[in-house]
Amino acid sequence: MKGNQNIREERTADMMTAVQNWGGVPSGWTRRHLLGLEDVTAGEITLLLDQAERFRNVIVQGERRIPLLNGKTCVNLFFENSTRTKTSFAFAARRLGADAADFTAATSSLAKGETIIDTAKNIEAMQIDAVIVRHSCPGTAKLLAENINGHVFNAGDGPHEHPTQALLDLMTIRQRFGKIAGLTVALVGDIAHSRTARSNIWGLKALGADVILCGPSTLVSKNWEKIGGVEVSHSLDKILDRADVFNLLRIQFERQVVRPFPSTREYAHLYGMDSVRLAKAKKDVLIIAPGPINRGLEITPDVADCPQSAILDQVTNGVAVRMAALWLCLNR
Ligand code: NCD
């Protein structure tokens, strides 16, 4: 039987060869963690999206494993529900040759009173390299980054940030238009409680897009206009022919303390994207949504499945973006 040292050396050699074949580690990335997009520069976003594009091209051509992170271990630490983000982080890690494990919060010792830092430190003591964390409390990812040695990836911290979701949205927009700068992107829906909206605002602004935030005044504050480069509209009908992209956000019922509108029927009537509204939009408009989508509420089924919709492309891009994020941070 091979000794541990030999196995480690072989894995490292495989990884070095893979890195060489890949063209080396790109320079210009210095971040150890990916916690949010608020302070990330246009150069960093572009570098990450370029890497993601390369990963996507290789994957869609049928290559399932690029062993750039051979022997590394990533753990999903999710305290909130997730379908796409959790699965695609796991796929991203595995496609890079890393091991991926899930930590199920509901059955963990947190229920017995352990703090999140203690839990993370215990997981880290099992020799892991990266923690991907989702939690309802803003700042959780940052707190972990300050307290553990591994790399931390924010997979959503309450209504605060969801950087990889915004990056995959940006990638999908860039694929369709070949650029982000100069486009008008409308984020429609529950801006007040949406981490996707917040990360999108920072990323879109950094890359030079004009952002319109649209929704009822109970969910979209005029204060957003104070940061510059952001316009607030409470009427979807008035902005239909102005936006190149509509990003239709889910109403985050689970975060709302009071009901922000009289009924879901009224919301759908005023802010739902349906075929009548779509017909009034630009011919080459792009429809995206982070998912899960509520068919009939923020988007009707015919619009969700129409040619202008890139909702499933977003999911494919999600794996590539997370591969790029893991690869850049773990190899910086
Ligand atoms: C988003 C989230 O969890 O914040 N979804 C996701 O990551 N795919 C948006 C949402 O839940 O509406």
Side-chain angles (χ1 to χ4, degrees):
M1 210 165 84
K2 283 180 194 167
N4 283 349
Q5 181 67 21
N6 280 353
I7 295 174
R8 217 172 297 130
E9 275 167 16
E10 261 179 35
R11 280 181 156 186
T12 311
D14 283 354
M15 189 168 85
M16 302 289 272
T17 313
V19 174
Q20 256 172 19
N21 292 344
W22 189 250
V25 186
S27 59
W29 186 269
T30 54
R31 282 171 200 274
R32 195 175 154 68
H33 313 287
L34 185 61
L35 305 178
L37 293 192
E38 188 168 357
D39 65 341
V40 177
T41 64
E44 288 172 303
I45 296 176
T46 305
L47 191 143
L48 193 146
L49 295 187
D50 290 347
Q51 285 298 314
E53 209 63 65
R54 287 183 69 199
F55 284 127
R56 187 187 199 273
N57 290 340
V58 174
I59 289 168
V60 296
Q61 277 164 25
E63 183 70 51
R64 296 287 184 254
R65 213 156 258 247
I66 312 161
L68 296 167
L69 294 182
N70 241 4
K72 305 271 183 191
T73 308
C74 305
V75 170
N76 272 333
L77 191 57
F78 277 56
F79 300 94
E80 277 191 348
N81 296 341
S82 173
T83 310
R84 277 150 292 267
T85 309
K86 189 167 158 187
T87 316
S88 68
F89 259 115
F91 275 138
R94 290 194 187 113
R95 294 216 162 133
L96 289 170
D99 296 322
D102 273 344
F103 171 89
T104 314
T107 54
S108 77
S109 289
L110 278 151
K112 299 180 189 167
E114 188 172 69
T115 69
I116 184 164
I117 295 175
D118 282 335
T119 302
K121 285 197 163 169
N122 276 273
I123 293 174
E124 195 177 42
M126 297 178 207
Q127 309 304 315
I128 59 103
D129 300 286
V131 174
I132 295 122
V133 63
R134 170 172 284 191
H135 198 281
S136 58
C137 185
T140 303
K142 184 166 179 284
L143 184 75
L144 286 191
E146 286 164 358
N147 284 280
I148 64 172
N149 293 320
H151 302 263
V152 178
F153 295 84
N154 184 4
D157 57 335
H160 180 225
E161 282 234 37
H162 190 354
T164 53
Q165 177 64 47
L167 288 165
L168 74 89
D169 294 342
L170 292 168
M171 181 172 173
T172 310
I173 297 171
R174 198 177 76 159
Q175 268 164 6
R176 183 68 68 98
F177 294 98
K179 62 171 188 177
I180 305 276
L183 295 177
T184 299
V185 180
L187 303 170
V188 183
D190 187 353
I191 310 299
H193 303 95
S194 169
R195 51 196 175 206
T196 298
R198 237 160 287 272
S199 292
N200 259 275
I201 292 169
W202 306 131
L204 287 164
K205 266 172 61 77
L207 294 184
D210 294 317
V211 180
I212 305 179
L213 303 180
C214 179
S217 57
T218 45
L219 291 175
V220 190
S221 163
K222 272 274 178 199
N223 279 336
W224 275 109
E225 291 188 340
K226 291 184 188 155
I227 65 168
V230 173
E231 175 188 333
V232 168
S233 169
H234 298 308
S235 164
L236 179 57
D237 289 320
K238 282 194 183 143
I239 61 160
L240 282 175
D241 59 350
R242 289 181 50 210
D244 299 294
V245 183
F246 284 97
N247 192 345
L248 306 169
L249 305 173
R250 188 176 63 84
I251 302 298
Q252 310 271 304
F253 289 109
E254 69 277 20
R255 290 187 217 295
Q256 294 166 359
V257 183
V258 287
R259 214 166 219 263
F261 40 74
S263 70
T264 49
R265 264 182 72 185
E266 178 170 312
Y267 180 84
H269 178 64
L270 291 174
Y271 296 102
M273 184 60 79
D274 56 19
S275 53
V276 176
R277 290 203 165 102
L278 188 65
K280 295 179 186 157
K282 291 187 180 183
K283 282 273 159 299
D284 62 346
V285 71
L286 177 67
I287 302 291
I288 55 174
I293 56 168
N294 286 311
R295 289 174 182 256
L297 182 51
E298 70 269 4
I299 188 167
T300 54
D302 49 347
V303 176
D305 304 327
C306 75
Q308 291 97 322
S309 159
I311 293 175
L312 291 178
D313 290 330
Q314 287 174 272
V315 181
T316 308
N317 290 339
V319 177
V321 151
R322 287 165 183 130
M323 287 174 80
L326 289 170
W327 151 240
L328 288 172
C329 290
L330 269 70
N331 264 307
R332 83 196 210 290

